[in-house]
Amino acid sequence: MTIHPTDEIGARSAAISDNRQAVESLLGYADLPAPTVISRPEAVYVSVADADDLLPWLNLLGGVVRRAPAWAGLELWSLTTFTPPAGGVRVPVRVSVSVPTGETLMHEIVSAVAA
């Protein structure tokens, strides 16, 4: 079986579209902050403006928070979670925010950091 490049491009575009649609559906009924949404075949990436904006996502969907090492006075905090199942499919969602190094975050967010 030969796979044509156009087939791969079509599959990639379909995955991007399906992932975006799953998150947009979630945002349609859940009051979640999502100022920037970027859909990719492997996941949907959401950037939020404030560290406290991770909490509604964490409360609704659960997941694990990770903190990247500080660089240039900033830390990147990311929540790895999934959309609720729709048709048996759960789409990976990565919600992230950059904060100044040493900034105090809400206990609920800090306690969800992966060990």
Side-chain angles (χ1 to χ4, degrees):
M1 180 174 146
T2 303
I3 297 177
H4 300 284
T6 55
D7 294 342
E8 291 178 24
I9 292 169
R12 179 178 166 80
S13 294
I16 290 169
S17 178
D18 291 349
N19 288 351
R20 178 175 274 291
Q21 185 176 12
V23 171
E24 286 176 352
S25 175
L26 171 65
L27 295 173
Y29 68 83
D31 186 24
L32 297 170
T36 304
V37 178
I38 299 171
S39 183
R40 298 283 174 93
E42 71 280 2
V44 174
Y45 298 86
V46 177
S47 296
V48 294
D50 187 271
D52 294 349
D53 291 343
L54 291 176
L55 193 56
W57 287 87
L58 181 62
N59 286 341
L60 181 67
L61 302 173
V64 175
V65 174
R66 290 186 170 79
R67 183 182 70 191
W71 182 80
L74 293 172
E75 297 173 340
L76 181 68
W77 290 70
S78 297
L79 169 65
T80 301
T81 190
F82 295 86
T83 61
V89 177
R90 298 181 75 201
V91 174
V93 180
R94 311 293 184 249
V95 184
S96 62
V97 63
S98 60
V99 296
T101 302
E103 184 73 13
T104 302
L105 274 69
M106 297 177 79
H107 172 74
E108 297 89 334
I109 296 170
V110 174
S111 65
V113 172

